[in-house]
Amino acid sequence: MNHLRGLGLIFLLSLNLLLASCQSGPAGRHLAQVEDAKSFDKVGLEATLTNSLLQGHERVMPPELDEALKSLASEVRLLCKDCKVESYMVPSFEEEYRVVFPDGFRLNLTRDHRVIEVTADPIEASDLKVHTQKLNDVLFPAGQRIGLRPAKHTGGGHLHFDFQAFFKNDPNLLRDFMVDAFNHQEIYREFFGGQIDNAPTLWQLPESSREAFMKLIDDFDEAPFSIYEFVQRLESEVYHQTANGRYTPPQK
C-alpha cells in the first residue's frame, strides 16, 4: 500500500492556512467549491454564537433563537454605526439579517442548531486579516453584550477554502492533502480542539471507513481518476458514517 506516502509541502501549506485563520477567530475547517474556476484564492469566514440556554435546549432550533438573532442585529447596529443592517425573509418565512460594512464586506446572521450562525461572502485570502478584525471588533463584542459567545462543542467556526483555487483541479494535490491529514491527525484532534461528533478525523471514524480510505488511495495510485470522482468516493465510501451512532445525519 502507498497510502502513507504524503507530500510534506502540502501539509505545511495547509497548516499555514489553518494557522492564519486560527490566530484570528474560531477554528474548524472544511472546503467550499465556487463556480468561478478562474477566481483567485478565496476564503469564506464562518462563526457561531450561543449560550448555555441554547446549548442545553431540548430542541435543536429553539424559539429563543428568534429573539437572540434580533438582539444581535440591534447590538451590531450600535457598535457599527456606519454599517447597514437589513432584515430579509428566508423561504421558511423567518426573518434573518445581513450586515454590510462601509467597504462592502457582508455578514449574514442566520439560525442553525442551537446557535446563531454568521457567514460571509467569499473574500481574497490576502484580505483575511482585515475582515477577520471586523468579527473581533463588532460581531463578538455585540454577542458578548447579550450573553452570546463561541462554544467549543456547539457550532464551531470554519474557514472555507476555495476548492478550485486551492487544488487547481489537480487530483494528485487533493490525494496528498488527504494523506497528510490522515498521517497528521493530531493537528485536528489536539491543536484545533477537534469535535468528534461534528468533524471526526479519519482515525475517529469506524475501522471500515479507514480501510475504505486506504483502498481509495491504493485505487488512485494504481489508476488515477479525476478530482471530482475522488471527492465523490470520499463522500460515499469514507465519510458516510460518524463516530457517534446517534448523530443525525449519519454522514455528517
Side-chain angles (χ1 to χ4, degrees), residues 92-129:
S92 60
F93 300 103
E94 295 174 306
E95 196 172 39
E96 297 186 341
Y97 296 86
R98 180 177 295 110
V99 180
V100 184
F101 287 81
D103 61 3
F105 177 67
R106 299 192 305 180
L107 292 176
N108 298 299
L109 311 182
T110 67
R111 300 168 179 79
D112 204 349
H113 290 187
R114 299 187 176 94
V115 299
I116 299 299
E117 182 176 87
V118 183
T119 59
D121 290 345
I123 58 174
E124 302 296 333
S126 58
D127 294 330
L128 177 62
K129 184 175 181 180

Side-chain angles (χ1 to χ4, degrees), residues 53-119:
L53 173 65
L54 297 176
Q55 285 181 280
H57 207 286
E58 60 181 5
R59 298 174 60 178
V60 295
M61 299 293 281
E64 288 83 357
L65 277 173
D66 295 342
E67 186 58 36
L69 193 60
K70 183 177 179 180
S71 297
L72 181 61
S74 297
E75 293 298 333
V76 169
R77 285 193 186 96
L78 293 175
L79 289 175
C80 185
K81 299 187 183 302
D82 293 328
C83 290
K84 183 184 295 184
V85 182
E86 304 172 321
S87 64
Y88 60 93
M89 196 72 69
V90 296
S92 60
F93 300 103
E94 295 174 306
E95 196 172 39
E96 297 186 341
Y97 296 86
R98 180 177 295 110
V99 180
V100 184
F101 287 81
D103 61 3
F105 177 67
R106 299 192 305 180
L107 292 176
N108 298 299
L109 311 182
T110 67
R111 300 168 179 79
D112 204 349
H113 290 187
R114 299 187 176 94
V115 299
I116 299 299
E117 182 176 87
V118 183
T119 59

Side-chain angles (χ1 to χ4, degrees), residues 124-226:
E124 302 296 333
S126 58
D127 294 330
L128 177 62
K129 184 175 181 180
V130 64
H131 291 311
T132 300
Q133 193 60 44
K134 294 181 175 69
L135 273 65
N136 292 331
D137 292 342
V138 176
L139 177 67
F140 295 132
Q144 289 174 358
R145 290 170 68 157
I146 56 174
L148 296 174
R149 56 182 53 83
K152 183 174 182 180
H153 295 297
T154 303
H158 306 272
L159 180 67
H160 301 258
F161 291 152
D162 179 338
F163 183 81
Q164 297 285 0
F166 188 70
F167 291 107
K168 304 184 187 303
N169 203 31
D170 183 351
N172 288 289
L173 195 61
L174 176 59
R175 177 256 185 233
D176 288 332
F177 180 91
M178 291 304 303
V179 168
D180 279 325
F182 182 82
N183 289 338
H184 299 280
Q185 292 173 67
E186 68 278 1
I187 293 295
Y188 306 97
R189 288 199 316 267
E190 299 172 12
F191 188 81
F192 291 124
Q195 301 179 41
I196 295 178
D197 282 350
N198 195 48
T201 65
L202 283 166
W203 282 101
Q204 291 168 326
L205 291 177
E207 183 178 359
S208 59
S209 289
R210 299 196 298 272
E211 291 174 349
F213 176 73
M214 291 184 234
K215 184 180 186 304
L216 171 60
I217 297 302
D218 283 341
D219 289 350
F220 179 85
D221 289 345
E222 183 176 344
F225 35 83
S226 76

